[in-house]
Amino acid sequence: MHRYVAYFFLTLLVFSVVICVTIFAYGSQKTLPYGVTISGWQVQGLTLAQFDLQLKNTMTKFGAQQVYFTCESKGCEPKTKQSSPSTWQSASITLHDLGLFTNEKEIVARIHSIQRGSWFQKSWSRWQLKNTKLTLTLSFEPSVLLKTINHVWPSASQFQPVNAARLITKEDTLSIIPEINAYRLDKQLLQKRLILSTHAASSQWLHKIQLEFQQNKPLSMTVSLPLIVEQPAITSQSLEAQGISRKISQFTTSLNTSAVGRTHNVTATARILQNQLLAPGDIFDYSQIIRQTEKSFGFQEAPVILNGKLVPGIGGGICQVSSTLYNAVLRAGLQIIERRNHSLPVSYVPLGQDATFATDQINFRFRNSSAHFILIQAVVAENELTVKLFGTIPQQTSYVITSQVVQKLQPSIRYLFNPELSRNAYQTLQLGKQGYIVETYRAKIENGAAFSKQLISRDTYPPQPTLVAVGKARTDQAKPLNPPLLEDGVSGPVY
């Protein structure tokens, strides 16, 4: 019995020794196990030193491969402005310079695992590696790729899109200057194209390039740059869609009698008014123009109207701009929302055809009641202010504006008490001026004949009273208006 037990343990011992020797011998092998491939490259039987050397040589050659970039877009001309379209090909650039990046270190670490740890761990690692198909992945570092491409093709980063522009000639004809697009590199698509060109999209790609290297056939890589077109905010198409086809009205007023301050105020306001664009249904607000003008240019001293009298003030002349615009708007057939005449007749437009402005009290507003956009042009030249409206109305349609005085208002007499005069003395300070009630009509003309006539406004210009100073207080003496009304300016009086 004891003999059989001894025999069993001896056999077990011998078997264990054999297994340990086998495991030790397996784990001590210097070559890679059977069936190991890396993207089609069979590495079984190679020593680690041979594997490292061959992989290093392959990747060094691979990284040195030349890439040529082509492009058939007008955004591709290298180191020049994007002008005429042409086919362009870059100088050669290596894959390494393009930021080639692989998981080579991970692959090497996995292969070298068969020589790490105890002999049992080495054997287990070798066993796990047997018949393993590893994949060497390829990509490009985005920052390096973009930097290199931008150096060869600077328009990818240097150029910005340029808006299309509407050009108006001296003859008031319209044309559109096309937009200039910018071109941006599609980095993701470029990486895909590079990977396809290097065979890296194939599971056997590493084996394929090794065969080409062995046959002294370097990769011939030509890649078309994938571009993303970046359009500006304003394009020819968007301008054409606005429907501005021609000049539809114009009105001019004279600045011949204007002093320096008034001319500045008119010119500055016209500059803000220039190129204002109204979509169909938009309401134009003249108070916004005044605010922008004051912020951008400021107003200078020039006479304003305070309670129906001309006095020194700031901003005098701004109502000439609103009145000139009002006349252009009338002649374009647009809808008037808010408008009031001055308390005094003005010299630059007929009675009934002016539009005054008083901050927070009187405004000028109109609606673009046409079916298309309206573009406002306002220019001061040769002592004249001209406002033009561009848009689209039927060619056979026009508007005629007429104003007529329907009643003349005689001035009254207002008495002012002057204690320095004797009790029965009086002195005429200011002769009165006649006032008017004026009706203004807009006639619509179709094909040269009157189609309709519309009453636009019925305006009252109060008469200016004769002012008489007396030495005795009277019950009908002049009293100041409350609150005061300041027109055609932003502040006053200035003495």
Side-chain angles (χ1 to χ4, degrees):
M1 175 98 181
H2 292 291
R3 184 174 59 184
Y4 288 114
V5 171
Y7 178 75
F8 172 76
F9 279 105
L10 178 61
T11 303
L12 182 61
L13 177 61
V14 172
F15 181 74
S16 298
V17 170
V18 171
I19 290 177
C20 289
V21 170
T22 301
I23 292 175
F24 176 78
Y26 183 71
S28 300
Q29 292 182 33
K30 300 298 182 182
T31 58
L32 296 178
Y34 174 80
V36 180
T37 62
I38 303 173
S39 294
W41 174 32
Q42 296 183 357
V43 296
Q44 65 185 38
L46 295 178
T47 65
L48 289 179
Q50 290 172 331
F51 165 78
D52 290 342
L53 180 61
Q54 290 187 30
L55 180 61
K56 179 180 179 179
N57 288 339
T58 299
M59 297 313 297
T60 299
K61 289 182 180 179
F62 183 67
Q65 293 306 295
Q66 306 292 314
V67 182
Y68 293 87
F69 290 100
T70 63
C71 186
E72 296 183 358
S73 169
K74 62 182 178 181
C76 289
E77 295 82 355
K79 298 183 180 180
T80 64
K81 291 183 178 180
Q82 52 222 50
S83 53
S84 59
S86 61
T87 302
W88 165 78
Q89 179 168 306
S90 72
S92 61
I93 306 172
T94 66
L95 289 173
H96 178 269
D97 291 338
L98 291 171
L100 178 65
F101 180 80
T102 70
N103 64 336
E104 180 181 347
K105 291 184 178 179
E106 296 178 12
I107 297 293
V108 171
R110 179 69 188 280
I111 295 296
H112 278 257
S113 66
I114 65 175
Q115 288 297 306
R116 288 197 298 268
S118 64
W119 57 269
F120 180 79
Q121 290 173 320
K122 294 178 181 178
S123 297
W124 177 244
S125 296
R126 174 176 288 275
W127 178 261
Q128 286 186 313
L129 190 60
K130 182 180 179 182
N131 290 321
T132 299
K133 292 178 171 32
L134 300 174
T135 300
L136 183 65
T137 59
L138 182 152
S139 62
F140 295 86
E141 181 64 36
S143 60
V144 178
L145 178 64
L146 187 60
K147 181 179 179 180
T148 302
I149 295 299
N150 284 348
H151 177 72
V152 176
W153 178 59
S155 55
S157 59
Q158 292 180 6
F159 294 109
Q160 297 299 320
V162 179
N163 285 329
R166 182 179 287 108
L167 179 64
I168 302 177
T169 67
K170 293 181 179 180
E171 294 74 27
D172 294 329
T173 59
L174 298 174
S175 62
I176 293 177
I177 301 174
E179 71 275 11
I180 299 178
N181 296 325
Y183 297 84
R184 302 290 180 250
L185 185 67
D186 188 333
K187 297 183 288 294
Q188 292 183 343
L189 182 54
L190 178 58
Q191 288 213 37
K192 291 180 180 179
R193 290 183 179 181
L194 285 169
I195 289 171
L196 286 172
S197 297
T198 59
H199 310 308
S202 166
S203 61
Q204 306 291 314
W205 77 272
L206 190 57
H207 174 63
K208 289 182 178 180
I209 66 167
Q210 283 180 323
L211 291 177
E212 292 183 357
F213 290 155
Q214 290 172 7
Q215 299 171 8
N216 291 322
K217 293 180 178 179
L219 294 175
S220 176
M221 298 177 59
T222 300
V223 177
S224 177
L225 282 175
L227 303 179
I228 301 173
V229 177
E230 182 178 337
Q231 287 189 322
I234 302 175
T235 64
S236 299
Q237 184 177 8
S238 66
L239 289 180
E240 290 170 355
Q242 292 175 355
I244 299 175
S245 61
R246 64 183 181 90
K247 183 178 71 175
I248 59 176
S249 70
Q250 173 179 329
F251 198 80
T252 299
T253 57
S254 173
L255 288 171
N256 283 334
T257 60
S258 296
V260 173
R262 181 183 172 87
T263 300
H264 165 83
N265 298 335
V266 171
T267 303
T269 308
R271 289 179 65 180
I272 296 299
L273 187 60
Q274 173 78 346
N275 290 325
Q276 292 287 321
L277 191 65
L278 301 176
D282 281 356
I283 294 178
F284 173 89
D285 186 340
Y286 190 62
S287 67
Q288 298 299 322
I289 300 297
I290 297 303
R291 291 190 183 96
Q292 293 177 40
T293 305
E294 190 165 21
K295 180 179 179 180
S296 300
F297 303 108
F299 289 114
Q300 295 183 6
E301 184 175 340
V304 300
I305 301 174
L306 178 62
N307 294 338
K309 297 180 182 179
L310 283 174
V311 298
I314 303 297
I318 59 176
C319 286
Q320 181 163 354
V321 181
S322 57
S323 297
T324 308
L325 174 62
Y326 173 58
N327 276 270
V329 169
L330 286 178
R331 288 158 176 79
L334 302 179
Q335 179 186 4
I336 306 302
I337 301 296
E338 179 181 356
R339 167 266 171 191
R340 193 193 300 181
N341 63 290
H342 290 76
S343 57
L344 289 176
V346 293
S347 61
Y348 46 80
V349 291
L351 288 171
Q353 297 182 28
D354 55 324
T356 192
F357 174 83
T359 303
D360 298 327
Q361 297 183 69
I362 302 174
N363 197 6
F364 170 50
R365 298 187 301 148
F366 69 90
R367 176 181 283 110
N368 176 11
S369 50
S370 74
H372 304 279
F373 278 70
I374 294 292
L375 176 67
I376 302 174
Q377 296 282 286
V379 177
V380 173
E382 299 180 353
N383 289 320
E384 289 184 334
L385 167 64
T386 298
V387 174
K388 301 176 183 179
L389 300 185
F390 291 82
T392 295
I393 60 175
Q395 289 281 358
Q396 68 273 16
T397 300
S398 62
Y399 296 89
V400 174
I401 309 302
T402 57
S403 297
Q404 61 185 33
V405 175
V406 296
Q407 185 179 349
K408 294 182 179 180
L409 306 175
Q410 299 305 315
S412 61
I413 300 176
R414 307 294 296 274
Y415 295 96
L416 301 172
F417 174 60
N418 185 352
E420 296 183 359
L421 295 177
S422 62
R423 186 174 181 83
N424 296 319
Y426 67 92
Q427 181 182 13
T428 301
L429 302 177
Q430 175 183 292
L431 293 176
K433 293 183 180 180
Q434 191 171 244
Y436 307 92
I437 296 178
V438 180
E439 291 183 348
T440 299
Y441 294 85
R442 176 164 61 187
K444 184 177 182 180
I445 308 301
E446 295 278 5
N447 296 314
F451 179 79
S452 63
K453 189 175 184 179
Q454 175 189 11
L455 175 64
I456 294 297
S457 64
R458 181 181 174 88
D459 300 321
T460 299
Y461 296 87
Q464 300 302 304
T466 297
L467 299 180
V468 177
V470 295
K472 179 182 177 180
R474 298 170 58 103
T475 57
D476 58 351
Q477 69 185 50
K479 296 180 180 179
L481 294 178
N482 188 28
L485 177 64
L486 187 144
E487 305 170 69
D488 197 20
V490 294
S491 64
V494 175
Y495 296 104

